[in-house]
């Protein structure tokens, strides 16, 4: 069965809402809670399919995890050396984060393992983790073409590396930091541009020391993780659809409570504000080592910009939504330096280019981004390519379209935002889900 979203044109967004927990932090709280000594309580967890895959993997490795129950988990950590050999392949579903982070962790274990994924994940590049892990001495192989499944055999001891990452990727950075917990010597990873730093913050939160100096982060083995309580804030990447929807639909006002505003994640706020958006941050505070705020978004008339390439890694998951804003802004918006979008859950440049063209938007696709001429959205049918963020972004386009927008292949919205439809509907989006 495959879900479609039917969006009837028009409407505005209004209300005070909470969005689901941050996906990146939810994965990491399961991983680090499992490796800690003692009992970790997590609240605010995203109960999306991606995170459930990570939970299932740690259960298969002998970790006792209770929940999730209304965003709460109780994890009885087994310590850094307490994982057991799983009796079956570990299925990471749609989640690149789960697969790449676990590849590093599993490379340091004394048992073999095998990581598999769904159709989308099975076509995503894994050499970006396999190359540096192999340099550390890991015994890890991919399918031909450098894609999953990943087969991992126990290494004869991992050794530390100094690694200059060729691309800005928090998944690669985090993979190597997790492998470094098991490597002899001090591993240092240098990133070409800042990426989300939840792994570093959370390792420290579990009492594990790290040193960082500008873009270089170093970690040595020999310490331990101590259980703690983790409070996961709302995911700015899920808030993104409502931020864009409220910005573009006239007479909208949405307040989104409890959103994570870690500076490595807030590129969308810079970019939309540069386009003229009216976004206010209220009640800024720190929760569990992460900055959090309530966001108030009111409609504004947006104009096109050339997006600063320095903001791209800080908004990497938000471009489907941002490109919908660009489609209705006055003038041209140029996105460049975003070739990483081609290797996400779908090729997001191609998927957005095709979808925008189908609904009557004038765009030019480029190798590393696209140019969008803002104007009137017509309507039509869009293939989400099974990509959750493409589906949710086009749903918001319906707020300003002339005719209906039909979005195909929306099942994977459940990977990051299981209640998207009911929340969007409660705010005023004319969305109907059709089960085929
Ligand atoms: C993530 C890192 C990013 C992001 C993904 C989540 C993470 O991927 O796109 O959705 O949790 O570390 P890359 O590291 O490939 O940029």
């Amino acid at each position: 069965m495959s879900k479609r979203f039917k969006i009837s044109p028009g409407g505005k967004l209004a209300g005070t809402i909470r969005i689901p927990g941050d996906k990146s932090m939810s994965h990491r709280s399961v991983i680090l809670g499992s490796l800690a000594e003692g009992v970790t309580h997590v609240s605010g967890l995203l109960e999306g399919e991606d995170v459930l895959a990570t939970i299932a993997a740690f259960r298969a490795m002998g970790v006792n995890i209770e929940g999730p129950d209304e965003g709460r988990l109780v994890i009885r950590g087994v310590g850094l050396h307490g994982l057991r050999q799983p009796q079956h392949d570990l299925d990471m579903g749609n989640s690149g984060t789960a697969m790449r982070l676990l590849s590093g962790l599993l490379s340091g274990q004394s048992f073999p393992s095998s990581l598999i994924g769904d159709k989308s994940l099975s076509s995503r590049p894994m050499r970006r983790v396999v190359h540096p892990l192999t340099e550390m001495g890991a015994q890890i192989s991919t399918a031909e073409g450098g894609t999953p499944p990943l087969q991992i055999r126990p290494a004869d001891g991992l050794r530390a590396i100094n690694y200059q990452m060729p691309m800005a990727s928090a998944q690669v950075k985090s993979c190597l930091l997790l492998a470094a917990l098991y490597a002899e010597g001090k591993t240092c990873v240098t990133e070409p541009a800042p990426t989300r730093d939840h792994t570093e913050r959370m390792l420290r939160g579990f009492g594990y020391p790290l040193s960082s100096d500008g873009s270089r982060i170093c970690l040595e083995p020999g310490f331990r993780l101590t259980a703690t309580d983790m409070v996961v804030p709302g995911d700015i990447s899920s808030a993104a659809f409502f931020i864009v929807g409220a910005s573009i639909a006239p007479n909208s006002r949405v307040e989104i409570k409890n959103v994570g505003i870690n500076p490595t994640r807030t590129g969308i706020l810079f970019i939309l504000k540069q386009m003229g958006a009216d976004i206010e941050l209220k009640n800024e505070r720190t929760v569990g080592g992460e900055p959090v705020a309530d966001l108030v978004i009111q409609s504004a008339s947006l104009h096109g910009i050339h997006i600063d390439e320095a903001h791209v890694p800080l908004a990497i998951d938000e471009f489907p939504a941002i490109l919908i804003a660009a489609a209705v802004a006055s003038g041209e918006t140029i996105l460049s330096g975003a070739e990483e979008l081609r290797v996400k859950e779908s090729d997001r440049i191609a998927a957005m280019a095709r979808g925008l063209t189908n609904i009557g938007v004038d765009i030019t696709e480029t190798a590393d981004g696209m140019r969008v001429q803002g104007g009137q959205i017509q309507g039509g049918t869009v293939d989400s390519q099974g990509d959750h963020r493409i589906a949710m972004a086009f749903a918001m386009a319906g707020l300003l379209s002339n005719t209906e927008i039909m979005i195909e292949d929306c099942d994977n919205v459940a990977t990051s935002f299981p209640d998207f439809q009911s929340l969007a509907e409660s705010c005023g989006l004319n969305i109907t889900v059709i089960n085929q």
Side-chain angles (χ1 to χ4, degrees):
M1 199 154 76
S2 165
K3 270 186 191 159
R4 295 200 287 172
F5 288 167
K6 186 178 97 171
I7 316 293
S8 302
K12 62 172 183 175
L13 294 189
T16 298
I17 59 173
R18 286 181 171 267
I19 31 109
D22 187 275
K23 183 148 71 73
S24 294
M25 285 184 236
S26 295
H27 282 298
R28 287 159 172 81
S29 61
V30 175
I31 297 171
L32 298 187
S34 295
L35 298 177
E37 292 174 25
V39 181
T40 287
H41 294 261
V42 184
S43 61
L45 186 93
L46 166 66
E47 297 188 26
E49 288 171 359
D50 279 10
V51 178
L52 299 181
T54 296
I55 294 173
F58 281 93
R59 283 191 175 131
M61 293 190 283
V63 183
N64 180 319
I65 302 176
E66 273 173 46
D69 174 18
E70 296 191 351
R72 282 190 296 276
L73 276 187
V74 180
I75 308 172
R76 293 179 210 289
V78 295
L80 280 167
H81 299 282
L83 295 175
R84 291 205 307 261
Q85 179 173 348
Q87 297 306 303
H88 52 75
D89 293 348
L90 299 175
D91 188 351
M92 304 289 95
N94 193 244
S95 177
T97 305
M99 184 169 286
R100 297 204 178 105
L101 269 57
L102 262 69
S103 70
L105 171 63
L106 293 172
S107 291
Q109 305 303 311
S110 57
F111 53 79
S113 53
S114 163
L115 294 171
I116 61 171
D118 71 2
K119 186 162 161 265
S120 152
L121 182 53
S122 298
S123 67
R124 294 182 66 186
M126 292 297 147
R127 286 192 180 124
R128 53 182 59 203
V129 289
V130 168
H131 276 153
L133 287 173
T134 304
E135 246 185 81
M136 295 176 82
Q139 301 289 320
I140 177 168
S141 64
T142 63
E144 231 176 275
T147 54
L150 295 180
Q151 306 292 348
I152 303 171
R153 283 175 291 121
D156 189 13
L158 293 184
R159 32 181 198 277
I161 49 168
N162 265 309
Y163 191 62
Q164 171 74 52
M165 287 177 11
M167 77 286 288
S169 166
Q171 292 177 357
V172 175
K173 172 176 64 175
S174 304
C175 162
L176 299 179
L177 292 176
L178 291 171
L181 293 168
Y182 300 92
E184 199 182 320
K186 184 187 203 176
T187 292
C188 294
V189 185
T190 306
E191 33 183 15
T195 66
R196 63 192 71 195
D197 62 356
H198 305 302
T199 303
E200 299 92 300
R201 286 178 190 247
M202 211 180 278
L203 277 166
R204 291 191 175 108
F206 277 90
Y208 204 98
L210 290 164
S211 57
S212 48
D213 173 15
S215 56
R216 192 169 124 109
I217 302 117
C218 301
L219 181 152
E220 281 180 87
F223 302 91
R224 49 190 198 166
L225 295 163
T226 306
T228 183
D229 288 350
M230 286 301 316
V231 183
V232 178
D235 196 331
I236 192 167
S237 298
S238 295
F241 307 106
F242 292 86
I243 299 174
V244 165
S247 295
I248 65 174
N251 306 316
S252 296
R253 184 187 186 279
V254 172
E255 179 158 354
I256 313 176
K257 296 281 191 196
N258 190 43
V259 181
I261 52 157
N262 179 313
T264 58
R265 297 286 299 280
T266 45
I268 182 174
L269 303 181
F270 292 118
I271 293 168
L272 289 178
K273 280 184 182 173
Q274 267 179 1
M275 294 174 76
D278 179 351
I279 305 169
E280 189 196 338
L281 272 62
K282 287 200 326 194
N283 298 329
E284 288 190 49
R285 55 209 186 262
T286 302
V287 180
E290 290 274 355
V292 172
D294 303 332
L295 306 185
V296 180
I297 307 100
Q298 308 204 60
S299 1
S301 66
L302 303 183
H303 55 84
I305 58 167
H306 187 161
I307 296 169
D308 183 347
E309 290 190 10
H311 289 155
V312 169
L314 310 178
I316 194 67
D317 290 338
E318 286 66 74
F319 286 105
I322 291 168
L323 291 171
I324 296 298
V328 299
S330 61
E332 184 180 57
T333 295
I334 304 172
L335 170 63
S336 58
E339 56 282 341
E340 275 292 304
L341 292 180
R342 292 205 180 271
V343 291
K344 295 294 177 189
E345 286 83 328
S346 67
D347 174 341
R348 286 187 174 156
I349 295 176
M352 287 306 296
R354 248 177 263 144
L356 287 167
T357 304
N358 286 1
I359 59 171
V361 181
D362 179 6
I363 63 102
T364 309
E365 183 175 342
T366 60
D368 63 346
M370 75 174 71
R371 286 197 293 278
V372 181
Q373 305 298 332
Q376 175 60 49
I377 293 177
Q378 299 305 325
T381 299
V382 171
D383 184 350
S384 80
Q385 309 283 341
D387 184 327
H388 55 138
R389 301 204 195 282
I390 303 288
M392 291 185 275
F394 278 105
M396 292 299 168
L399 288 163
L400 283 190
S401 65
N402 274 341
T403 62
E404 175 181 295
I405 297 182
M406 188 68 88
I407 308 160
E408 315 266 7
D409 203 358
C410 297
D411 286 352
N412 281 335
V413 166
T415 60
S416 67
F417 206 150
D419 294 329
F420 173 73
Q421 180 235 339
S422 54
L423 192 63
E425 198 175 11
S426 75
C427 289
L429 186 71
N430 298 314
I431 178 170
T432 311
V433 176
I434 301 169
N435 290 303
Q436 287 171 308

